[in-house]
Every structure is written in structure tokens, then in C-alpha cells.
Amino acid sequence: MIDYDEIASNYSKHRDIHPKVLEGLISSENIKKGSNVLEVGCGTGNYITAICQTVGASSYGIDPSEEMLKKARARTGEVLFKKEKAENLDFEDCFDLIFSVDVIHHLDSPSQYFEKAYESLNKDGKICTVTDSEWIIENREPLSKYFPETIEADLERYPKIDELKTCMAEVGFTEIQGNVVEQTKQITDLQAYREKTFSVLHLITDEAYEEGITRMKKDLMKGPIRRISRYFLLWGTKK
Ligand SMILES: C[S@@+](CC[C@H](N)C(=O)[O-])C[C@H]1O[C@@H](n2cnc3c(N)ncnc32)[C@H](O)[C@@H]1O
């Protein structure tokens, strides 16, 4: 179990917006000036703040971690942030878009979240779950190469895309479909790995972690290490 209250400071230092995820969210016709948009598990608020500032949507964020929310509130006064869990959403026909990034694997009950999200959306409202598919987990660069133990840990932790699709269909979502986005970067320092910004690094043994860091350090001396950051965007519509 990751304690986001504990890691909020390091998290906000290293967590950047994935431009392709933002682009994907904004490309939805459900986001425009004046639409109501909710980010579930908003953490330090980077995505919902960007959406608010880029599109002018009426923007809301919920997260159960007070420390993450403190960082989010310090970022902007334009978004309304509330301490709440995804499974306890309590709105009726309110939002045009509800989305989450890297959150679904933290939920006790994704199906309860989908049920609540369905109730909270307007007719024709959309939900987008930004997550990692099994393929993405197995092919992460450089995480899976230097810390291969993270593959098993995350395959166990992340709900499978087909399971999510089934849960969504069961609560009534239609037009369920997904696409993958990716961005390549060059890593020139190990700070984010040393500070275990990737939550799965908290889930492997100290030995496995140290071994991976040592190998990364050695390779980094030869030049930058390629990082490919991929996400699966899973969409559904309330008809
Ligand atoms: C990996 S972080 C992602 C934060 C943000 N979405 C981002 O992409 O920067 C996961 C977030 O999920 C939140 N979280 C954990 N359990 C949750 C729950 N039951 N409902 C909503 N959010 C939850 C954590 O507090 C944390 O802020």
C-alpha cells in the first residue's frame, strides 16, 4: 500500500504531465469552455489544472490524500478540490467528463467507482480511465529492464483492460474503446528513481531495487537512457 501523504513532496517534484494524455483528454468533444470536468484521484492537480487553464472548463478534483491536495491547492485557486475517494462519488447528472490518470489500480472496487461515475455523469457524458495495459507493464522502458520484479508486482496490482471493459459495460457505459499514447524522453539523472517516484518501486525488495539502481548508474555513465512513457486511455459514454 502506497502512502501518498508521505510521498506527496517527492511526487510533485517529479511528476510531469504526459502531453499526449492531456492532448487525448482535451480532444474529447466533452471538454470545452463551461463544461463540467472532474478528475478522480487528481493528486497534485497537474492534469485538471492544465485542463482548466487550457480550455476554461469548470474543473473539480477529488483525492483521499490531504498532502497531495495541499500541493494541488497551492498550484491553483481555479479548481475546486475535495478530499474524497473514487468509490464515494456522490453526484447526480453533473459532469460532462470524469477522468482519472494512474488511479484505477489503487481502488478497492473499480466497479463501484464506475457505478458512481455513471450516476455522476450527464447524459452523453464520457469517462476516461488512463492506465497501463498488461502489454504496457511488460514493456516499460527503462523500468522493466532495470527492475524486472516490477512486472509481476504491477500485473498483480493493475486491473486488466478486459476486466475494466466488462465492469464498464455492466454499469451501462457504451462506446467502450481504448487507444495507446506514448512519449519518448532521455533520462540523464536518476533522481526520480532514487526518490522512488514510480510507486511500484516501493513494492519490490530492497535488493532488487539496489541492483537495478546500480545497473542504471553504470549505464548512465555511458550516456542518457531512453524512457518510453505509454498510457492506455479507456473511454466510455453514458447514453
Ligand atoms: C499515481 S497517483 C496519480 C495522481 C494524478 N492523477 C497524476 O496523474 O499525477 C495516484 C493518486 O490516486 C489517489 N488515490 C488512491 N486511492 C484512491 C481512491 N480510492 N480514490 C481516489 N483516489 C485515490 C492517491 O492519493 C494519488 O493521489
Side-chain angles (χ1 to χ4, degrees):
M1 191 81 160
I2 315 295
D3 184 344
Y4 278 95
D5 279 337
E6 214 170 274
I7 67 170
S9 287
N10 281 341
Y11 191 91
S12 65
K13 255 194 284 168
H14 297 295
R15 180 78 172 190
D16 292 329
I17 283 180
H18 190 302
K20 294 284 168 59
V21 169
L22 185 62
E23 218 175 279
L25 291 169
I26 285 178
S27 72
S28 158
E29 70 270 23
N30 285 45
I31 298 197
K32 44 186 176 284
K33 198 170 165 48
S35 341
N36 285 328
V37 179
L38 171 68
E39 180 175 6
V40 169
C42 61
T44 59
N46 46 12
Y47 283 98
I48 191 66
T49 302
I51 284 174
C52 178
Q53 292 173 350
T54 319
V55 188
S58 303
S59 304
Y60 305 84
I62 63 153
D63 198 285
S65 161
E66 197 51 58
E67 292 304 314
M68 296 291 266
L69 288 175
K70 263 190 210 164
K71 302 274 173 205
R73 291 190 184 107
R75 192 189 291 276
T76 178
E78 292 173 292
V79 177
L80 196 65
F81 292 107
K82 191 177 166 205
K83 185 174 174 185
E84 191 55 273
K85 285 175 122 184
E87 298 91 330
N88 298 339
L89 281 183
D90 189 17
F91 302 93
E92 211 175 306
D93 306 337
C94 265
F95 296 103
D96 303 298
L97 174 72
I98 296 179
F99 73 96
S100 68
V101 183
D102 247 348
V103 173
I104 200 81
H105 58 290
H106 289 299
L107 306 189
D108 295 334
S109 170
S111 55
Q112 192 178 326
Y113 160 56
F114 287 132
E115 219 171 277
K116 299 282 182 167
Y118 192 87
E119 284 166 17
S120 305
L121 281 167
N122 287 325
K123 185 174 171 297
D124 295 323
K126 285 193 189 299
I127 187 165
C128 183
T129 302
V130 182
T131 184
D132 288 3
S133 63
E134 297 92 285
W135 186 89
I136 291 177
I137 292 170
E138 284 160 358
N139 291 282
R140 281 179 183 146
E141 268 192 59
L143 208 62
S144 298
K145 174 177 173 195
Y146 293 99
F147 307 95
E149 298 76 5
T150 59
I151 297 177
E152 203 186 319
D154 264 353
L155 284 176
E156 208 166 294
R157 200 162 63 125
Y158 276 69
K160 298 193 177 14
I161 299 297
D162 280 348
E163 290 168 6
L164 294 176
K165 284 181 174 171
T166 304
C167 288
M168 289 171 72
E170 274 169 9
V171 305
F173 283 108
T174 57
E175 297 173 358
I176 299 168
Q177 45 165 315
N179 63 293
V180 175
V181 294
E182 72 172 53
Q183 176 192 229
T184 303
K185 274 185 174 177
Q186 298 294 331
I187 297 171
T188 52
D189 75 77
L190 293 183
Q191 202 62 13
Y193 294 83
R194 285 195 193 292
E195 294 183 1
K196 297 193 180 178
T197 314
F198 306 98
S199 62
V200 69
L201 291 176
H202 294 263
L203 303 178
I204 61 174
T205 63
D206 290 348
E207 293 74 35
Y209 170 72
E210 288 304 333
E211 200 198 310
I213 284 285
T214 306
R215 285 200 294 128
M216 271 188 109
K217 215 161 113 186
K218 225 162 137 190
D219 283 357
L220 207 50
M221 292 207 296
K222 295 180 217 149
I225 295 174
R226 186 172 73 164
R227 175 170 178 220
I228 306 182
S229 175
R230 296 187 182 96
Y231 277 110
F232 192 96
L233 275 64
L234 179 60
W235 291 91
T237 305
K238 172 176 174 176
K239 281 288 175 198

